[in-house]
C-alpha cells in the first residue's frame, strides 16, 4: 500500500504556478546561460587564435591551431565538465543542493576571467593558461547540470514540472545567441577602429596587434551573468525534498516552503522514523538499485551519450561546414577580425533560426505530449535530416543549393533541441529517488559529455578530406564530410532504440515516479511493473 505523501511535498506538487517558480527558473537558468556562452564562445575565436599565435611567414593561408592544440583548446572544458558533473552531482546529494550551488558559480566567475588573462605572449604560455583555466571553468559548469536540474524538479509542481526544467535548459540557447551577438559587436567595433587589409594582400598586417584583445574580451565576458546571479542563488532556501527526505528535517522543510509558497504548512513528525528506515534500504551500488533503476540509468546515460556525439560534432564545427559550403569565404580573403565577425554572424543566424526556437517548442509541449514522444520524434527527424544531408552531399556543395543545405542543417538542430537535447536533461532529474537524484543526473550528464568529446574530436579527424593534399594543416586524411554525416545519422538511429528504456514521467509526483512513496514490497512491485510498461 502506498503511504500518504508528506504534506510539504504534496503542497509543492499541487501548487499553482506562481512568482517563485519564475525566479527559480531565472536563477537556475542564468547558470545555464553562462554555461552555454562559456562552452561555445571558444569556437568563435579558435581561428583568430591560430592567426595570432601560429602565423607562418610566407604561408599561402593564415596560421591555424595545430591539431593537438585545437583539440586541447576546444575539448579541455569538456573534460572539466565531465569531472564536475560527477563530483558536484555526488556532492549535491551529500551536502545539499544549495550549499554546492554557490561553489559552482564562483568557480565559473573566477575561471572565465582567468581564461582571458594568459601568462606571457608566446603561443605555449597563452595556450597552456587558456587550457588550464578552461578545464576548471568546465569543472564549475559541470556542477551546474545536476544541481540546476535537481533544484528545479524539486521546486516545481507536477503539472508543469517538465516545462520548468526545460525552461532552465532553454537558457542555453540564449547563451549561444549572446555569445554570437557579443562577438559580432566586439569584432565590428574593433574592425571599424583598426582597419586591416586581407591576408592575401598583407599577411602580417591583416592581423592587427589589437586583435589579441578581441578573443580575451569575448572569453572574459562570460563571468558577468554568473556574477550577477550569485547573490540570488545564496538566498534560495534548500529544496524541501532534500531537507525532508534526505536530511530528515521536516520542521525546516515545512518552514522553508511556507515562506516560498506563502501558506501555512505544518511539520510532520510521525513519518520521520518511517522515512529514516526507508532511506537506508539500499545504496547506489546495490542489487536493489540495479533492479529498480538500473535500466532507467542505462537509458538516460546511453541516450545522452549518443545525442551529444551528434550535437557537439555539429555545433563546435559549424564554422568548418560553413566554410565547406562557401558561407564563409576563404580565410586568405579576410583579415583576422573580419573572420571572427563572419563566423559569429553565421553561428548567430543558426542559433536564432533553429536552436532557440527548438528549445522553446520543448518547453511548450513537454507536459502535453510527454518526454518520451518528444525524444523519440527528435531522434527520428535528426536521423532523417542527417541522411538527407549526407546521401546527396555533392548536390548540396553546389553554389545554388547552399541555402537548401543551411535550411536542412538548421532543421537537424531544431529537432535536436525540440527533442533529445532537452529531454535527456529533464528526465534524469525526475525518475530517481531524492537521495540519488543529483548523483544519477550527474552520471547521465557526464556520459553525455563523453559523447561530446567523441563528437568534437572524432569529427575533427573524421571530416578531413580523403585526399591528403586537401586536409587541414597537420591532420591525417579522414573519411570526408559526407561519410561523417552518414555516421552521425546511424548514431541518431541508435538514440531512438535506447529511448525505449526511458520511462515517461509526465504528470506524476517525483515520489510516485521513483517509488519513494511506497512501502518496500509495494515499491518493488510497482517498480518492476513500471519497467515492464515502458511506453513503446
Amino acid at each position: 500500500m502506498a503511504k500518504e505523501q508528506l504534506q510539504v511535498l504534496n503542497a509543492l506538487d499541487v501548487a499553482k504556478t506562481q512568482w517563485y517558480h519564475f525566479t527559480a527558473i531565472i536563477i537556475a537558468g542564468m547558470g545555464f546561460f553562462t554555461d552555454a556562452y562559456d562552452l561555445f564562445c571558444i569556437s568563435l575565436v579558435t581561428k583568430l587564435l591560430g592567426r595570432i599565435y601560429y602565423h607562418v611567414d610566407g604561408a599561402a593561408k593564415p596560421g591555424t591551431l595545430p591539431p593537438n592544440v585545437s583539440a586541447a583548446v576546444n575539448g579541455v572544458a569538456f573534460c572539466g565538465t565531465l569531472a564536475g558533473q560527477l563530483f558536484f552531482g555526488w556532492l549535491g546529494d551529500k551536502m545539499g543542493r544549495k550549499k554546492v550551488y554557490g561553489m559552482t558559480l564562483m568557480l565559473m566567475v573566477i575561471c572565465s576571467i582567468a581564461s582571458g588573462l594568459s601568462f606571457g605572449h608566446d603561443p605555449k604560455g597563452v595556450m597552456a593558461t587558456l587550457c588550464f583555466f578552461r578545464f576548471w571553468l568546465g569543472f564549475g559548469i559541470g556542477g551546474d547540470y545536476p544541481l540546476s536540474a535537481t533544484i528545479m524538479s524539486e521546486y516545481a509542481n507536477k503539472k508543469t514540472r517538465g516545462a520548468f526544467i526545460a525552461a532552465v535548459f532553454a537558457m542555453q540557447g540564449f547563451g549561444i545567441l549572446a555569445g554570437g551577438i557579443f562577438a559580432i559587436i566586439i569584432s565590428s567595433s574593433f574592425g571599424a577602429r583598426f582597419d586591416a587589409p586581407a591576408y592575401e594582400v598583407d599577411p602580417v598586417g591583416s592581423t592587427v596587434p589589437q586583435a589579441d584583445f578581441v578573443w580575451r574580451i569575448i572569453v572574459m565576458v562570460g563571468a558577468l551573468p554568473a556574477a550577477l546571479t550569485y547573490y540570488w542563488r545564496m538566498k534560495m532556501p534548500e529544496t524541501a525534498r532534500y531537507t525532508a527526505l534526505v536530511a530528515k528535517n521536516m520542521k525546516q522543510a515545512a518552514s522553508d516552503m511556507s515562506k516560498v509558497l506563502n501558506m501555512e504548512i505544518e511539520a510532520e513528525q510521525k513519518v520521520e522514523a518511517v522515512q529514516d528506515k526507508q532511506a537506508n534500504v539500499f545504496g547506489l551500488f546495490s542489487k536493489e538499485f540495479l533492479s529498480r533503476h538500473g535500466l532507467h540509468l542505462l537509458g538516460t546515460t546511453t541516450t545522452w551519450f549518443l545525442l551529444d556525439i551528434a550535437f557537439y560534432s555539429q555545433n563546435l564545427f559549424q564554422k568548418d561546414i560553413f566554410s565547406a559550403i562557401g558561407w564563409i569565404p576563404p580565410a586568405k580573403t579576410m583579415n583576422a577580425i573580419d573572420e571572427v565577425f563572419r563566423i559569429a554572424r553565421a553561428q548567430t543566424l543558426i542559433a536564432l533560426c533553429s536552436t532557440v526556437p527548438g528549445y522553446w517548442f520543448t518547453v511548450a509541449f513537454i507536459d502535453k505530449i510527454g518526454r518520451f514522444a518528444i525524444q523519440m520524434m527528435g531522434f527520428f527527424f535528426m536521423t532523417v535530416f542527417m541522411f538527407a544531408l549526407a546521401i546527396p552531399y555533392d548536390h548540396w556543395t553546389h553554389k545554388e543549393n547552399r541555402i537548401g543545405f543551411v535550411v536542412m542543417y538548421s532543421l537537424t538542430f531544431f529537432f535536436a533541441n525540440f527533442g533529445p537535447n532537452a529531454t535527456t536533461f529533464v528526465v534524469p532529474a525526475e525518475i530517481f529517488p531524492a537521495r540519488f537524484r543529483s548523483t544519477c543526473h550527474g552520471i547521465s550528464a557526464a556520459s553525455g559529455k563523453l559523447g561530446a568529446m567523441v563528437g568534437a574530436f572524432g569529427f575533427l579527424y573524421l571530416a578531413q578530406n580523403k585526399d591528403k593534399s586537401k586536409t587541414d594543416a597537420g591532420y591525417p586524411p579522414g573519411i570526408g564530410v559526407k561519410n561523417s554525416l552518414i555516421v552521425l545519422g546511424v548514431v541518431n538511429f541508435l538514440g531512438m532504440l535506447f529511448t525505449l528504456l526511458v520511462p515517461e514521467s509526465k504528470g506524476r509526483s517525483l515520489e510516485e515516479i521513483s517509488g519513494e512513496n511506497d512501502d518496500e514490497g509495494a515499491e518493488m512491485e510497482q517498480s518492476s511493473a513500471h519497467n515492464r510498461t515502458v511506453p513503446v
Side-chain angles (χ1 to χ4, degrees), residues 43 47 309-329 343 346-347 350 386 389-390 393 396-397 402 404-410 412-413 455 459-460 463-464 472 480-482 484-485 488:
S43 69
K47 298 233 173 176
I309 291 178
F311 188 73
Y312 280 87
S313 61
Q314 296 175 60
N315 227 333
L316 279 171
F317 303 103
Q318 271 181 8
K319 56 186 188 304
D320 300 327
I321 291 177
F322 289 142
S323 302
I325 58 162
W327 237 38
I328 293 171
I343 291 168
Q347 190 160 310
I350 283 281
M386 207 55 98
L389 284 175
Y393 181 71
W396 296 117
T397 52
R402 280 178 190 156
F405 181 93
V406 174
V407 169
M408 297 283 278
Y409 185 70
S410 296
T412 318
F413 256 81
F459 200 74
L460 248 180
Q464 293 300 323
D472 292 344
V481 176
K482 175 177 178 162
S484 301
L485 290 169
L488 292 175

Side-chain angles (χ1 to χ4, degrees), residues 204-385:
V204 177
S206 69
T207 308
V208 294
Q210 290 81 2
D212 198 43
F213 292 115
V214 172
W215 74 267
R216 292 174 191 275
I217 293 169
I218 291 171
V219 166
M220 288 163 78
V221 160
L224 272 177
L228 292 173
T229 28
Y230 183 76
Y231 169 74
W232 297 105
R233 273 201 183 181
M234 292 297 88
K235 279 189 73 177
M236 273 179 104
E238 181 57 85
T239 73
R241 287 186 157 90
Y242 182 84
T243 311
L245 299 175
V246 185
K248 307 286 177 300
N249 190 339
M250 301 295 161
K251 205 169 175 185
Q252 187 64 50
S255 147
D256 285 347
M257 291 308 110
S258 296
K259 285 184 204 134
V260 165
L261 292 165
N262 287 326
M263 61 187 277
E264 195 55 48
I265 299 172
E266 282 178 37
E268 292 158 89
Q269 301 301 331
K270 62 182 187 297
V271 287
E272 225 169 308
V274 187
Q275 291 289 333
D276 208 26
K277 189 181 92 178
Q278 214 181 314
N280 296 319
V281 173
F282 61 93
L284 183 63
F285 298 106
S286 61
K287 277 185 181 168
E288 187 103 342
F289 179 85
L290 199 66
S291 70
R292 294 186 197 189
H293 301 291
L295 276 181
H296 299 163
L297 192 58
L298 180 67
T300 58
T301 48
T302 45
T303 50
W304 206 335
F305 173 75
L306 293 162
L307 172 271
D308 273 10
I309 291 178
F311 188 73
Y312 280 87
S313 61
Q314 296 175 60
N315 227 333
L316 279 171
F317 303 103
Q318 271 181 8
K319 56 186 188 304
D320 300 327
I321 291 177
F322 289 142
S323 302
I325 58 162
W327 237 38
I328 293 171
K332 63 181 181 183
T333 63
M334 301 179 277
N335 66 42
I337 292 174
D338 190 31
E339 189 172 35
V340 174
F341 173 79
R342 287 181 187 250
I343 291 168
R345 189 179 62 180
Q347 190 160 310
T348 305
L349 210 61
I350 283 281
L352 202 57
C353 299
S354 64
T355 313
V356 173
Y359 283 121
W360 291 100
F361 263 78
T362 304
V363 174
F365 291 108
I366 192 165
D367 287 311
K368 292 184 175 69
I369 60 178
R371 290 73 165 142
F372 182 83
I374 288 180
Q375 187 159 312
M376 204 51 137
M377 176 198 69
F379 270 130
F380 172 76
F381 281 113
M382 285 168 75
T383 310
V384 169
F385 287 121

Side-chain angles (χ1 to χ4, degrees), residues 12 97 149-156 239 241-242 434 437 510:
L12 278 169
R97 310 352 177 175
T150 303
I151 283 174
M152 202 61 240
S153 78
E154 293 183 343
Y155 259 107
T239 73
R241 287 186 157 90
Y242 182 84
R437 189 167 289 134
L510 293 176

